[in-house]
Amino acid sequence: MSINIAELNEAIAAAIPDREALVFRDRRFSYAELNERSRRLANFLLSHGVTLHRERSELENWESGQDHVALYMYNGNEYPECLMGTLKSRSVPVNINYRYVEEELLHVMKDADVKVIIYHGCFADKVAAISNQLNNLSVLIQVEDGSNAPLLSGAIEYESALASASASKPNVTLSPDDLYMIYTGGTTGMPKGVLWRQGDFLVSMLGMKDKNDVPILDMDLILNQVMQSRGSSALSAPPYMHGTGQLVSFVAWHNGNTVVIQDNVEHLDAAELLRVAEREQVRTLAVVGDAFALPIMKEMYAHEYDLSSLRLIVSSGAVFSKPVKDKILAKYPKVTIIDAFGSTETGPRGHNFSKGSDKETDAKFTLSGGGVALNADKTALAKPEDKDNGWFAVKGRIPLGYLNDPPKSQETFPVIDGERYSIPGDRVQIDTDGNIEFLGRDSVTINSGGEKIYAEEVEQALKHHDDVVDVIVSSRPSERFGNEVVAVVQLTHGNTDLSDELKSCASKYIARYKLPKAFVFVEEVKRGQNGKADYRWAKSIAEQTVEGVGYGT
């Protein structure tokens, strides 16, 4: 048995139509109003033929038979409306990182073969620059955002699109096999679309299961729990362009709660965020590790806020350090911090709970069901006596694969002894008691403040500068971001400091958050005899840098 996400949201809206579902600035939407607006978008998309064209049973795991809708926006009420509206039309939302430069935007939108782009007006120029290179693009929807950007030729304004469409329930037959897709970098290098069946996504990513890890698939049971709940407010600090923001919001709605969006959506403003949390009596606050929690914690101590309603701080996607946790809990002892471990390819698979009543917090994670360790060859379950480190893997309700990438899909989601696994790339070892110890991600991906940065992508961007002979990109620890990018560079003319020039050059090819925070200029970049980069050497060099200063060796 499985449930479709859009079908569940329709049912919940019918059960609690007058309860508040969404708050953004001075706008407040009931479940009925949010449902109506998402229906209108769905019917508008359907009127343009944007829907499903091939059923899941006709496709390979890495294929999609549905149209893809790019969501290129900051946070706001329109983003969740579009998430639900696309699902109700049986099309697939595609999260687009608004920090991307044109080259990156073009890569993702081509890779996703988008048919529709829904974008904030401030991004109209970038959309115009790439739209003629997207072969399948047929619909542009521009969202007014106060930028007063002129409407692009052929585009329709968002509110006009909704007003032109019916508010009736879309005439489609929804299925648990319909896709939910999240674009992520992570272990795959360049961004890839992770394809989930909605029925599996609901259980593994949105936590529709009981305390014994058994899926809850009875619609009547879910609706009964929603109607009996009193409702509370959840504020998701991360942008919807990342999976965390989407997941937190859906979980809140599936429990009959209110989702609150902060007023300032272009960057994290800790003071403004806490004012909104105070105003809306937020019970749950979602963050992405220290990149969010550190400035929020500092603001908690800098000024007084009435956060007596706050009970949960939930984090995923980046390191949430013990010192930051301890200071938050000291300030607000009634709060429980839930630190989640997992990935887009697995869903949350481990949790760390810290409470104000605890004498000491730690970093140990309790694994949920489905998590196992495979041996180094990925051929069988690992054993304590295995000498080589193994791989963390998950079985059960896992993704289908990566969009249009058969080799990577088969590599990450292999079949072993008749069972499909997801192997996201974390190295582990088994102790004598059979417990799994995590050793770290095997790839050279850098997680900086929840943003996954692929080292080779940064290297290629830096190599566009004529004076760069060779470069290896690594990282160093960061108090706020967990890790930050450091480039070890060999130049044509020795150890001349060309930091500013290199940043300027690379910024044409990658987003600013991927740019190195420090450069180390060396006489020769160290590589193995096979030509592969020596990342261990580069890491040791990078970790010698402090406060943005590079030291050559």
Side-chain angles (χ1 to χ4, degrees):
M1 294 178 60
S2 293
I3 298 174
N4 176 281
I5 297 172
E7 179 184 23
L8 177 58
N9 276 274
E10 284 274 341
I12 292 174
I16 52 170
D18 299 325
R19 193 179 297 181
E20 201 163 66
L22 183 66
V23 176
F24 176 51
R25 294 175 178 164
D26 60 350
R27 306 187 71 181
R28 312 183 85 90
F29 300 86
S30 68
Y31 273 81
E33 290 168 332
L34 190 58
N35 190 46
E36 177 185 326
R37 288 173 66 82
S38 62
R39 281 182 174 185
R40 287 183 179 275
L41 178 63
N43 284 320
F44 177 84
L45 294 174
L46 288 167
S47 71
H48 287 75
V50 181
T51 186
L52 177 142
H53 301 286
R54 295 175 65 195
E55 295 288 350
R56 185 77 251 155
S57 59
E58 303 173 21
L59 302 166
E60 298 286 354
N61 282 350
W62 50 83
E63 293 181 318
S64 168
Q66 300 167 248
D67 289 320
H68 301 157
V69 179
L71 305 184
Y72 184 22
M73 296 180 285
Y74 291 115
N75 281 12
N77 60 281
E78 293 89 358
Y79 210 120
E81 289 168 4
C82 290
L83 285 172
M84 286 192 252
T86 53
L87 298 182
K88 290 178 183 180
S89 70
R90 301 193 79 183
S91 56
V92 184
V94 179
N95 54 307
I96 301 295
N97 192 326
Y98 52 69
R99 294 177 177 174
Y100 282 164
V101 297
E102 288 176 15
E103 187 170 311
E104 295 166 307
L105 281 174
L106 188 59
H107 167 81
V108 173
M109 293 200 189
K110 275 188 171 182
D111 191 71
D113 193 22
V114 298
K115 188 170 185 177
V116 182
I117 304 177
I118 306 178
Y119 59 96
H120 267 138
C122 61
F123 301 124
D125 288 347
K126 287 187 176 180
V127 172
I130 67 171
S131 58
N132 63 353
Q133 301 177 67
L134 301 173
N135 296 331
N136 198 34
L137 182 64
S138 61
V139 181
L140 293 176
I141 303 175
Q142 187 163 317
V143 180
E144 174 56 45
D145 57 359
S147 64
N148 297 316
L151 195 65
L152 290 183
S153 177
I156 184 171
E157 197 274 326
Y158 181 78
E159 293 296 339
S160 298
L162 267 57
S164 70
S166 169
S168 61
K169 187 175 182 179
N171 185 25
V172 294
T173 302
L174 301 172
S175 167
D177 283 337
D178 291 350
L179 291 174
Y180 199 99
M181 178 166 59
I182 296 180
Y183 257 78
T184 181
T187 59
T188 65
M190 293 297 287
K192 290 290 184 186
V194 182
L195 302 179
W196 283 85
R197 288 181 62 256
Q198 285 188 35
D200 295 330
F201 189 87
L202 192 63
V203 175
S204 291
M205 291 292 270
L206 302 182
M208 193 60 73
K209 46 192 173 183
D210 63 21
K211 60 183 180 181
N212 296 316
D213 228 33
V214 177
I216 300 174
L217 302 173
D218 186 320
M219 184 77 80
D220 291 336
L221 176 61
I222 297 171
L223 296 179
N224 184 57
Q225 292 175 341
V226 166
M227 288 186 287
Q228 288 184 0
S229 71
R230 292 178 296 175
S232 62
S233 294
L235 194 163
S236 179
Y240 281 113
M241 70 175 183
H242 291 314
T244 300
Q246 299 176 37
L247 305 187
V248 170
S249 296
F250 274 116
V251 169
W253 288 317
H254 294 164
N255 286 279
N257 296 329
T258 304
V259 172
V260 178
I261 299 174
Q262 66 269 36
D263 294 350
N264 188 339
V265 297
E266 294 187 16
H267 65 270
L268 174 64
D269 183 333
E272 182 271 328
L273 182 142
L274 291 177
R275 285 195 296 269
V276 172
E278 179 182 57
R279 182 190 77 206
E280 299 298 330
Q281 298 184 342
V282 165
R283 181 181 177 85
T284 302
L285 174 64
V287 300
V288 180
D290 283 358
F292 285 75
L294 180 61
I296 290 172
M297 179 273 290
K298 289 181 177 179
E299 179 60 27
M300 286 175 168
Y301 278 86
H303 301 92
E304 287 299 319
Y305 296 90
D306 179 5
L307 300 179
S308 55
S309 61
L310 187 63
R311 290 293 180 270
L312 287 176
I313 296 178
V314 182
S315 175
S316 68
V319 174
F320 198 155
S321 67
K322 181 180 182 297
V324 177
K325 287 183 184 180
D326 288 345
K327 288 181 180 179
I328 291 174
L329 293 174
K331 181 73 173 178
Y332 298 101
K334 292 183 179 180
V335 168
T336 296
I337 295 175
I338 303 177
D339 200 359
F341 166 82
S343 69
T344 310
E345 290 89 349
T346 65
R349 292 294 169 170
H351 297 86
N352 169 270
F353 292 85
S354 303
K355 300 180 180 180
S357 57
D358 294 341
K359 293 182 179 180
E360 185 176 350
T361 60
D362 59 42
K364 294 180 180 179
F365 284 81
T366 301
L367 290 180
S368 59
V372 300
L374 298 176
N375 62 17
D377 296 331
K378 303 179 184 178
T379 56
L381 295 178
K383 300 176 182 178
E385 59 266 26
D386 289 341
K387 294 181 179 180
D388 296 328
N389 296 327
W391 300 87
F392 177 67
V394 173
K395 60 181 179 179
R397 292 178 179 265
I398 61 175
L400 295 166
Y402 294 113
L403 178 66
N404 296 330
D405 193 336
K408 180 59 72 172
S409 297
Q410 292 165 346
E411 176 186 344
T412 305
F413 308 102
V415 177
I416 302 172
D417 291 334
E419 183 101 50
R420 285 189 74 242
Y421 288 89
S422 173
I423 308 176
D426 295 290
R427 298 307 296 260
V428 297
Q429 63 183 18
I430 306 295
D431 64 22
T432 54
D433 295 324
N435 296 317
I436 299 175
E437 179 185 353
F438 286 86
L439 304 176
R441 185 57 59 95
D442 192 64
S443 68
V444 294
T445 301
I446 300 164
N447 192 324
S448 182
E451 297 279 9
K452 293 177 179 178
I453 303 170
Y454 192 54
E456 291 186 11
E457 184 184 16
V458 184
E459 291 164 4
Q460 292 303 315
L462 291 168
K463 287 179 179 179
H464 283 278
H465 193 288
D466 291 339
D467 284 336
V468 173
V469 176
D470 203 355
V471 57
I472 298 178
V473 166
S474 187
S475 65
R476 68 181 180 190
S478 165
E479 180 187 19
R480 178 175 177 184
F481 296 105
N483 293 283
E484 53 189 20
V485 178
V486 177
V488 182
V489 185
Q490 177 183 340
L491 296 173
T492 304
H493 305 296
N495 291 351
T496 306
D497 187 347
L498 296 182
S499 301
D500 292 341
E501 283 190 31
L502 293 176
K503 282 186 179 181
S504 177
C505 177
S507 67
K508 299 175 184 178
Y509 305 97
I510 55 175
R512 286 188 60 83
Y513 73 87
K514 298 178 182 178
L515 297 175
K517 294 293 191 295
F519 291 83
V520 183
F521 298 100
V522 297
E523 292 294 333
E524 183 179 3
V525 164
K526 186 177 179 181
R527 291 181 177 268
Q529 291 183 347
N530 58 3
K532 291 186 177 181
D534 189 338
Y535 282 101
R536 181 175 297 180
W537 168 81
K539 182 75 170 176
S540 69
I541 297 294
E543 290 181 343
Q544 296 175 31
T545 65
V546 291
E547 301 296 327
V549 178
Y551 297 99
T553 61

